[in-house]
């Protein structure tokens, strides 16, 4: 036998995680060709997005992300806008497909992993950090490419009667947490100073409506 590396003191969290990674054969290093592919991507996201005439500029919509306090990447954002008796829900997710095309080294690496792998205090991402933590992370106040679903609800409805899907260019207004939103809701707030333009009251009203509709559906089943 030959010692190829020393993980550290057995029993520590770091070493136990390393043992799991090694035992399961979780891929950690990315292909050099995949990393080279990432470095070739444009950092001017706004210009990149506007190259495509079919991509819609929605940077005027005050979308926000809502995640846990420890979240490292932010891949979906929401906004709710009431107008008259109707309400529009906009959901935007990071447009990973713009960067990971079929048959490319990035696609091969991602296919081998299948998903990101989460351990206590460590994440082994499906995509290189330059994508998972940056270009494909909907961080606040920076333009990002996204795929969008816009859903229109009639008064009191739990199912949208109009839905539009399209590629978009967005800019998140704030990185909110579940704790912050829960505290604001408990305090009766309808807006948050750190998220200008985001209608918290309308979002909570629609959330309660959709949750009630889902519970009714589950009860019928």
């Amino acid at each position: 036998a030959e010692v190829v590396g020393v993980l550290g003191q057995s029993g520590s969290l770091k070493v136990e995680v390393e043992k799991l990674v090694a035992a399961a054969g979780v891929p950690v290093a990315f292909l050099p060709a995949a990393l080279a592919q990432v470095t070739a991507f444009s950092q001017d996201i706004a210009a990149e997005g506007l190259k495509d005439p079919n991509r819609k500029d929605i940077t005027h919509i005050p979308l926000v992300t809502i995640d846990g306090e420890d979240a490292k990447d932010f891949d979906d954002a929401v906004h709710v806008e009431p107008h008259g008796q109707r309400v529009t829900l906009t959901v935007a997710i990071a447009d990973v497909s713009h960067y990971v095309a079929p048959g490319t080294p990035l696609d091969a690496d991602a296919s081998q992993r299948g998903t990101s792998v989460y351990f206590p205090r460590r994440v082994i991402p499906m995509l290189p950090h330059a994508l998972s933590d940056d270009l494909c992370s909907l961080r606040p106040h920076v333009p990002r490419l996204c795929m969008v679903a816009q859903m229109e609800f009639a008064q009191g409805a739990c199912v949208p009667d109009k839905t539009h899907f399209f590629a978009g260019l967005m800019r998140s207004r704030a990185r909110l947490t579940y704790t912050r939103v829960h505290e604001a809701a408990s305090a009766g707030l309808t807006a948050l100073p750190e998220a200008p333009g985001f209608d918290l009251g309308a979002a909570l009203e629609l959330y309660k409506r959709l949750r009630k509709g889902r519970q009714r559906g589950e009860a019928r089943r």
Side-chain angles (χ1 to χ4, degrees), residues 12-111:
S12 70
L13 176 60
K14 179 180 178 181
V15 171
E16 294 305 312
V17 168
E18 289 288 357
K19 286 163 62 178
L20 289 171
V21 171
V26 179
V28 177
F30 288 92
L31 296 171
L35 297 176
Q37 189 181 346
V38 172
T39 61
F41 291 137
S42 171
Q43 298 298 310
D44 190 341
I45 306 300
E48 183 72 15
L50 297 177
K51 284 181 182 178
D52 183 355
N54 296 316
R55 188 177 292 276
K56 186 176 180 181
D57 187 344
I58 60 167
T59 53
H60 63 284
I61 298 179
L63 291 149
V64 301
T65 60
I66 306 176
D67 297 275
E69 279 78 3
D70 297 330
K72 302 300 182 184
D73 55 349
F74 317 109
D75 49 19
D76 53 77
V78 297
H79 178 256
V80 178
E81 180 182 2
H83 40 92
Q85 301 299 316
R86 301 177 65 81
V87 63
T88 298
L89 167 63
T90 301
V91 179
I93 64 172
D95 188 359
V96 179
S97 64
H98 177 82
Y99 300 100
V100 185
T104 61
L106 277 172
D107 182 46
D109 254 345
S111 297

Side-chain angles (χ1 to χ4, degrees), residues 156-215:
C158 298
V159 177
D161 54 11
K162 294 182 181 179
T163 305
H164 308 280
F165 300 96
F166 55 88
L169 174 69
M170 62 161 287
R171 182 182 287 108
S172 171
R173 294 298 191 276
R175 178 264 201 266
L176 303 180
T177 65
Y178 298 122
T179 301
R180 172 61 171 145
V181 171
H182 176 73
E183 291 174 346
S186 299
L189 299 181
T190 58
L192 296 171
E194 67 268 38
F198 180 67
D199 193 332
L200 177 62
L204 290 172
E205 190 281 329
L206 181 60
Y207 159 71
K208 292 174 183 177
R209 186 201 308 179
L210 297 180
R211 182 180 64 177
K212 186 179 295 185
R214 184 178 64 185
Q215 290 172 340

